[in-house]
Amino acid sequence: MSDSPLLSVRGLVKDFPLRKGLFGAREWKRAVDDVSFDVTRGKTLALVGESGSGKSTVGLMLLDLLEPTAGEIRYAGHSFSSRSRKERLALRQEMQVVFQDPYASLNARMTVREALLEGMIVHRMGGSHAERLDRAAQLLGEVGLSPGALDRYPHEFSGGQRQRIAIARALSVNPHFIVLDEPTSALDVSVQSQVLNLLRRLQREHGLTYLFITHNLGVVEYLADEVAVMEAGRIVEHGPVVETFENPREAYTRRLLGSIPTLDPEHRHVTAAAGGFFRTPDKHG
Ligand SMILES: Nc1ncnc2c1ncn2[C@@H]1O[C@H](COP(=O)(O)OP(=O)(O)O)[C@@H](O)[C@H]1O
Ligand SMILES: [Mg+2]
């Protein structure tokens, strides 16, 4: 059972409605086109590709925040489409997300304490209020912040600290799977590598499974086990990171790799810290 993938995606499609065409016919844009992949327990699959290639749309469907047009998603062997209401709620706890913009997961008017307690209360976790408070302080410690942060508001922190708070909030409900959608893309380079280190440590300590969406191939080298390359809604290449980067089959992948300063193994950390951005910056996050 532990060998089976935690997450399994087959033939996933998402069409978005465009403006009404001539004669009132609806026109559609296919943002995700027949996407299939597995994510192994405890591992990281990186989803890379240029802005608009469909990465975030895939992430939102996995999180049950967006309804697929077609295809099947199975989590721990259970199909999304045949879940009961109870299973659906349980999944909301199992799967968490960290977005590029911390304000997408942090309410500006909630203190850090409230942000960290909210999920535990919704999912009836942590026993008593005092126990939940202890857990909130402990979570802050895990992401490298002091308990003094509990009474403050998100805007009182730096970008890197805010992202640490968003990570602590995601962890607060003991998830097994986390979608990281460009979590470090808005941060300064030095802060980026600190947050990446944190994510790597948390993965090890909690046995977390990650889907890491990024347009930064340095990040992929640093953190991911496998990489899936998306182009115009489709996965055009998918494999272990090292093999794929050393021997890209697709011209698109080679072009993406060509925009990285260095992929020399001796310079991997430099690469991760220095970025290695695609030519088109990701506007959607
Ligand atoms: N809610 C939406 N309504 C209409 N089109 C959308 C919506 N979300 C995304 N799209 C379109 O779908 C495509 C894929 O977007 P997205 O998944 O955000 O790409 P990425 O995360 O790779 O930058 C883009 O063309 C985008 O404009
Ligand atoms: Mg995106």
Side-chain angles (χ1 to χ4, degrees):
M1 196 47 206
S2 62
D3 282 349
S4 62
L6 182 60
L7 196 89
S8 175
V9 175
R10 290 295 175 271
L12 200 61
V13 172
K14 182 65 190 182
D15 291 336
F16 287 116
L18 293 174
R19 59 185 168 78
K20 284 247 170 74
L22 213 57
F23 313 118
R26 250 259 186 264
E27 289 177 21
W28 300 87
K29 152 136 194 130
R30 184 148 292 189
V32 172
D33 189 0
D34 194 17
V35 159
S36 302
F37 58 81
D38 289 341
V39 190
T40 310
R41 285 168 206 270
K43 302 285 188 193
T44 299
L45 171 66
L47 203 53
V48 306
E50 288 175 330
S51 176
S53 56
K55 308 181 295 297
S56 293
T57 304
V58 168
L60 291 174
M61 288 190 282
L62 298 190
L63 291 160
D64 198 20
L65 297 175
L66 193 64
E67 187 79 23
T69 303
E72 191 182 42
I73 303 171
R74 295 174 83 87
Y75 182 86
H78 295 279
S79 170
F80 266 32
S81 49
S82 60
R83 288 165 310 173
S84 65
R85 218 180 82 83
K86 205 171 143 210
E87 281 175 319
R88 200 162 179 170
L89 261 178
L91 263 189
R92 291 261 153 128
Q93 175 187 341
E94 287 263 324
M95 299 183 146
Q96 293 294 311
V97 59
V98 177
F99 293 108
Q100 175 174 342
D101 173 11
Y103 285 113
S105 30
L106 297 176
N107 183 333
R109 282 171 303 184
M110 271 192 188
T111 62
V112 171
R113 172 184 288 109
E114 289 166 332
L116 295 180
L117 291 181
E118 190 180 43
M120 290 189 247
I121 293 168
V122 167
H123 294 290
R124 300 170 197 276
M125 299 173 68
S128 67
H129 184 64
E131 283 172 277
R132 281 193 287 267
L133 278 180
D134 278 352
R135 168 121 175 92
Q138 180 217 326
L139 282 164
L140 281 182
E142 278 205 58
V143 299
L145 295 172
S146 76
L150 283 172
D151 286 311
R152 291 158 65 192
Y153 289 88
H155 74 263
E156 299 179 60
F157 296 89
S158 68
Q161 289 171 329
R162 253 196 305 279
Q163 210 51 306
R164 287 173 190 268
I165 295 164
I167 293 166
R169 178 180 157 90
L171 286 179
S172 69
V173 293
N174 286 331
H176 291 130
F177 178 74
I178 304 186
V179 173
L180 302 156
D181 192 344
E182 308 270 8
T184 63
S185 299
L187 303 176
D188 290 344
V189 163
S190 61
V191 180
Q192 264 191 41
S193 44
Q194 289 165 14
V195 173
L196 292 173
N197 279 335
L198 171 66
L199 289 169
R200 209 156 80 153
R201 176 166 62 75
L202 292 172
Q203 177 170 47
R204 230 182 9 244
E205 289 174 1
H206 297 274
L208 296 167
T209 306
Y210 288 159
L211 180 80
F212 204 118
I213 296 172
T214 181
H215 59 276
N216 182 330
L217 297 192
V219 170
V220 177
E221 276 215 305
Y222 184 65
L223 220 111
D225 301 285
E226 289 187 24
V227 58
V229 181
M230 281 192 82
E231 180 185 16
R234 292 182 155 267
I235 290 182
V236 294
E237 181 145 15
H238 180 189
V241 171
V242 176
E243 278 100 307
T244 307
F245 280 12
E246 277 173 6
N247 220 340
R249 286 182 296 114
E250 295 292 326
Y252 179 75
T253 311
R254 277 198 295 277
R255 189 161 64 77
L256 298 181
L257 287 166
S259 62
I260 304 187
T262 174
L263 280 173
D264 184 331
E266 284 177 19
H267 295 102
R268 266 183 196 166
H269 294 277
V270 177
T271 316
F277 294 93
F278 288 169
R279 259 162 285 194
T280 36
D282 197 318
K283 292 184 288 292
H284 304 277

